[in-house]
């Protein structure tokens, strides 16, 4: 039994591979068959990356960022028996408005998929006279109803918590600019109804270390544990050759998640493999989802690699949490409630 508890349904059929021999430097390791999604995965789509998956009806379902052959990203639906091999609907997810009329975004990227109570929410980045957050809901993965956009531009990287906290839906996001944003911190907003968002709080700023010193942004939906919300996020450094995106880890207070309890001062995964270092945008690992099993403490992280592929990394919750605690470095800005 794991030392720390993950609070989530059992998932005995999640993908898993044991830790390989040798020094890893962090508590995560990669699936040895990565990338799990290669180029040209379906007609008209050149690359799938930065995508999110969930258990569904004993199997797996996912929302995938598909870069069309004209370069414009949209979201595609995929299904899998094992969480590794995916088949996709050939058409983009057909979003509608509340009246059931087609209501497609102009573009859509970096989708997250989060179940809260009986509803699955898809959250992504889209145009709203500038990069903004789009949202939709479904219960059956057949009809997808758009919700009001939560924020005005510019904002990217929104991630919903998998349950209400103190009766409110909770959304992490990263306000940004209209370009490739050379700054950025993570904020938290709450809503009674998934329409009106407010009571905004600062969660954490870019780090004091070099690897996440330029900007940070939400990643996978936080995992509820006995130690707090385990959050995998992305951290970015600037080099003379462009940005480098790594995966970081933090633990947020369970009832007041704008308070950071622990924040790992080192990355948990950084570009090292050919499919992370080489691609449309080199040197990117970008987490968007996890699968996790409370009985075994197993965690699988789905991440985009080099804006070209999807990779899978594994870790044990106890080892990840201990590593984050042992390497934690927080400032007053992290640990306070985040209100000014
Ligand atoms: C960010 C987002 C991500 C992308 C990353 C690296 O700003 O656009 O979709 O993976 O840049 O290009």
């Amino acid at each position: 039994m794991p030392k720390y508890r993950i609070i989530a349904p059992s998932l005995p059929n999640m993908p898993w591979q044991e830790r390989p021999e040798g020094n890893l430097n962090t508590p995560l390791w990669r699936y040895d068959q990565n990338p799990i999604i290669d180029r040209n995965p379906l007609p008209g789509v050149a690359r799938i990356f930065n995508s999110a998956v969930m258990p569904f009806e004993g199997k797996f379902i996912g929302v995938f960022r598909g870069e069309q052959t004209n370069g414009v990203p949209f979201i595609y639906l995929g299904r899998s028996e094992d969480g590794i091999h995916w088949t996709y609907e050939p058409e983009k997810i057909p979003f509608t408005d509340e009246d059931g009329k087609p209501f497609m975004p102009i573009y859509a990227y970096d989708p997250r998929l989060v179940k809260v109570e009986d509803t699955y929410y898809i959250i992504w980045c889209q145009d709203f006279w500038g990069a903004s957050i789009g949202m939709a809901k479904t219960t059956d993965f057949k009809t997808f109803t758009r919700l009001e956009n939560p924020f005005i531009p510019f904002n990217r990287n929104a991630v919903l918590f998998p349950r209400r906290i103190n009766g409110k839906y909770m959304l992490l996001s990263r306000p940004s600019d209209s370009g490739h944003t050379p700054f950025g911190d993570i904020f938290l907003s709450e809503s009674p109804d998934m329409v009106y968002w407010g009571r905004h709080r600062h969660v954490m700023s870019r780090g004091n270390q070099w690897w996440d010193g330029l900007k940070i942004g939400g990643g996978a939906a936080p995992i509820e544990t006995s130690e707090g919300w385990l959050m995998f996020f992305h951290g970015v450094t600037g080099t003379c050759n462009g940005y480098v995106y790594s995966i970081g880890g933090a633990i947020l207070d369970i009832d007041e998640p704008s308070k950071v309890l622990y924040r790992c001062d080192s990355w948990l995964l950084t570009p090292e493999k050919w499919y992370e270092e080489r691609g449309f945008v080199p040197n990117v690992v970008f987490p968007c989802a996890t699968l996790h099993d409370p009985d075994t403490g197993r965690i699988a992280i789905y991440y985009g690699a080099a804006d070209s592929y999807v990779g899978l990394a594994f870790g044990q919750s106890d080892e990840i949490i201990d590593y984050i605690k042992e390497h934690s470095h927080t400032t007053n800005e992290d640990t306070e409630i985040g209100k000014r």
Side-chain angles (χ1 to χ4, degrees):
M1 263 313 255
K3 173 168 65 164
Y4 307 124
R5 260 180 321 118
I6 289 178
I7 298 146
S10 295
L11 195 59
N13 60 336
M14 65 173 274
W16 182 251
Q17 197 170 53
E18 294 298 332
R19 166 197 284 275
E21 295 293 316
N23 176 44
L24 293 174
N25 266 341
T26 85
L28 297 183
W29 58 93
R30 294 164 176 83
Y31 180 46
D32 66 5
Q33 301 297 306
N34 272 355
I36 61 166
I37 302 175
D38 206 347
R39 298 222 182 198
N40 299 306
L42 73 159
V45 174
R47 292 172 277 123
I48 280 181
F49 55 100
N50 299 4
S51 300
V53 309
M54 279 224 64
F56 184 64
E57 295 181 342
K59 299 175 184 171
F60 301 95
I61 201 151
V63 290
F64 294 87
R65 170 176 176 163
E67 225 82 339
Q68 302 175 113
T69 47
N70 61 4
V72 179
F74 269 97
I75 307 174
Y76 294 78
L77 192 70
R79 295 172 195 274
S80 173
E81 301 264 332
D82 60 6
I84 293 174
H85 302 90
W86 293 87
T87 50
Y88 310 96
E89 300 281 335
E91 301 299 332
K92 304 162 191 159
I93 290 183
F95 294 110
T96 66
D97 65 14
E98 306 254 330
D99 299 325
K101 295 201 196 81
F103 185 33
M104 294 296 278
I106 294 171
Y107 61 75
Y109 64 76
D110 296 357
R112 312 311 204 273
L113 178 63
V114 185
K115 188 181 183 198
V116 187
E117 291 147 24
D118 293 329
T119 303
Y120 295 84
Y121 295 93
I122 307 172
I123 307 107
W124 66 86
C125 181
Q126 64 161 38
D127 178 68
F128 180 53
W129 287 271
S132 300
I133 306 303
M135 298 201 296
K137 63 179 180 180
T138 184
T139 51
D140 56 7
F141 290 96
K142 292 181 184 128
T143 56
F144 300 86
T145 311
R146 296 267 303 271
L147 300 167
E148 291 289 337
N149 299 332
F151 307 125
I152 58 174
F154 302 96
N155 200 312
R156 298 198 181 93
N157 294 304
V159 183
L160 191 65
F161 281 71
R163 71 163 168 85
R164 296 189 207 215
I165 299 173
N166 305 319
K168 303 293 194 316
Y169 296 94
M170 294 282 181
L171 191 64
L172 296 168
S173 77
R174 211 280 304 289
S176 58
D177 68 10
S178 60
H180 294 290
T181 313
F183 62 88
D185 305 335
I186 299 178
F187 289 82
L188 179 73
S189 308
E190 65 174 54
S191 172
D193 54 8
M194 289 291 291
V195 175
Y196 295 97
W197 294 89
R199 290 171 59 92
H200 311 291
R201 300 284 181 265
H202 170 267
V203 179
M204 56 195 231
S205 292
R206 61 211 96 161
N208 295 319
Q209 308 300 330
W210 286 18
W211 71 274
D212 64 347
L214 187 78
K215 57 177 170 173
I216 58 172
I223 302 173
E224 185 169 9
T225 79
S226 52
E227 304 308 287
W229 293 100
L230 172 58
M231 178 177 79
F232 298 107
F233 61 98
H234 68 261
V236 184
T237 189
T239 73
C240 61
N241 223 3
Y243 294 166
V244 177
Y245 283 68
S246 303
I247 301 178
I251 298 174
L252 312 180
D253 185 90
I254 208 76
D255 296 317
E256 287 186 297
S258 64
K259 292 184 182 168
V260 181
L261 304 181
Y262 305 99
R263 174 177 183 169
C264 192
D265 70 0
S266 314
W267 62 65
L268 298 179
L269 201 81
T270 199
E272 289 170 357
K273 298 289 182 189
W274 67 264
Y275 51 87
E276 299 162 351
E277 292 182 333
R278 201 169 76 222
F280 186 72
V281 180
N283 297 314
V284 180
V285 290
F286 193 92
C288 288
T290 65
L291 294 174
H292 40 272
D293 176 36
D295 304 331
T296 55
R298 292 173 174 178
I299 296 178
I301 303 176
Y302 288 76
Y303 65 95
D307 287 11
S308 301
Y309 311 98
V310 172
L312 192 51
F314 300 111
Q316 283 282 351
S317 53
D318 285 353
E319 290 176 18
I320 296 169
I321 291 170
D322 279 338
Y323 186 85
I324 292 173
K325 286 183 176 179
E326 281 159 23
H327 295 81
S328 179
H329 178 99
T330 53
T331 63
N332 286 345
E333 285 222 332
D334 295 326
T335 53
E336 68 187 12
I337 193 91
K339 191 176 169 186
R340 275 183 190 163

